[in-house]
Amino acid sequence: MTDERIEGAAYEATGKTKKGFGKLVGDQKLQVEGAFEDAKGRSLDTFGKAMDAVDRLVEKTPVDYRDKARAVAGEARKRPLVTTLSVAGVGLMLLGMLTRRR
């Protein structure tokens, strides 16, 4: 589990708590802040899942290419949005290929 997933879970919990407390006391600003933190946490969790997938792929890479694969994974960590969308896109392509064969 990556640090992003842990951080995402913390933001989600904080956001849900703020949102719930805001509803309880009728504070709309607190509700909005909570919704924002909840969304941020879910985004971080998704990015963390993508990085977990990238890390698993790096470990399956032949030993001769592993250093280059780790360098690419390091760059992926610097660009969370591109990485998340890329991993999702590859997953959708693989799913499409698998379902067409049947």
Side-chain angles (χ1 to χ4, degrees):
M1 181 179 272
T2 60
D3 291 342
E4 292 86 5
R5 292 196 65 197
I6 295 167
E7 187 178 352
Y11 271 109
E12 269 188 84
T14 302
K16 289 177 193 235
T17 302
K18 274 186 177 181
K19 194 165 47 172
F21 188 70
K23 283 182 183 179
L24 183 68
V25 298
D27 186 341
Q28 190 173 13
K29 181 182 176 193
L30 198 55
Q31 289 177 43
V32 171
E33 287 176 6
F36 175 77
E37 287 187 23
D38 182 29
K40 181 178 180 178
R42 284 185 278 133
S43 296
L44 280 169
D45 183 56
T46 301
F47 175 65
K49 287 178 183 176
M51 290 313 306
D52 284 346
V54 168
D55 290 341
R56 284 192 300 275
L57 287 173
V58 167
E59 293 310 312
K60 292 179 182 178
T61 304
V63 177
D64 296 346
Y65 299 104
R66 207 164 282 163
D67 288 337
K68 288 184 181 184
R70 284 189 181 116
V72 170
E75 288 299 314
R77 282 191 181 350
K78 294 177 186 176
R79 296 179 179 89
L81 181 60
V82 173
T83 301
T84 303
L85 293 174
S86 298
V87 171
V90 169
L92 288 173
M93 286 187 336
L94 290 173
L95 179 65
M97 290 171 39
L98 290 172
T99 55
R100 285 188 195 132
R101 289 185 181 175
R102 294 180 184 181

